[in-house]
Structure formats: C-alpha cells, structure tokens
Amino acid sequence: RCGLGEGRPAPCRSFPANEIDGAIRFENAGCTCDWSGVTADESADRALLSAEGQAREKYGQIVAAWNDYVGRFADPFELTHRDFCRYLMDAYNQ
C-alpha cells in the first residue's frame, strides 16, 4: 500500500503482520488503511519479523556500547549528535 515498494524499510514491509502467540496475525492499531482483503504470507512475514528482531537486537548492542563509551568522558557533552551518527555508521560498516 506504500508507493516506495521494495524501497520500504523492513518494519513497513512487514506491517501490519505481527507474531502473536506463535502465529502471524494482522495488528494494525493506529493505521487507517483497510487491510480486510489482505492475506498474510506467513513464511515471508515471519522472516521479515525475525530480521527486524535481529536488527533491533544489533542496534541495542551498538547503542549500549556507545553509552559505555560516553560514560568514560568526564563531560559527555563533548560529544555531538554528529559523533553518534559517525559511530553508528562505523559500527554498521564493520
């Protein structure tokens, strides 16, 4: 339903699929689109949801490492948003 097609970020590609009690179900709270005629592709949606979970876990680990790094500074305000973005870019390029 999005004009970006395959260019959509993973959370958008899997929406409104969600794994609930081990089953793939549509949960579209807050969305105004009509999903009544759409059927889930369980294997594809499950793979997307798994990839999203792995990406969230990796991001959480990267941010935790950043927070540890920042904690070593006497004045953490020496670092800028740009520093954080550079750190993210470097972490994902490894």
Side-chain angles (χ1 to χ4, degrees):
R1 299 194 187 272
C2 173
L4 291 175
E6 289 304 310
R8 296 172 293 167
C12 296
R13 287 194 309 255
S14 67
F15 186 84
N18 202 350
E19 188 171 354
I20 302 168
D21 297 329
I24 299 296
R25 299 201 175 113
F26 283 172
E27 190 172 289
N28 60 348
C31 179
T32 59
C33 294
D34 177 12
W35 295 95
S36 59
V38 178
T39 57
D41 178 343
E42 186 163 345
S43 63
D45 289 335
R46 191 175 303 282
L48 281 170
L49 292 169
S50 174
E52 288 173 45
Q54 291 170 8
R56 277 191 303 275
E57 184 176 327
K58 179 177 181 175
Y59 180 75
Q61 291 168 351
I62 290 171
V63 170
W66 166 261
N67 290 339
D68 289 344
Y69 172 70
V70 170
R72 296 183 210 138
F73 283 77
D75 180 8
F77 294 104
E78 295 175 45
L79 300 169
T80 65
H81 180 256
R82 184 181 200 107
D83 294 324
F84 177 65
C85 291
R86 172 54 54 200
Y87 178 85
L88 286 176
M89 300 271 300
D90 290 345
Y92 279 103
N93 285 324
Q94 292 181 2

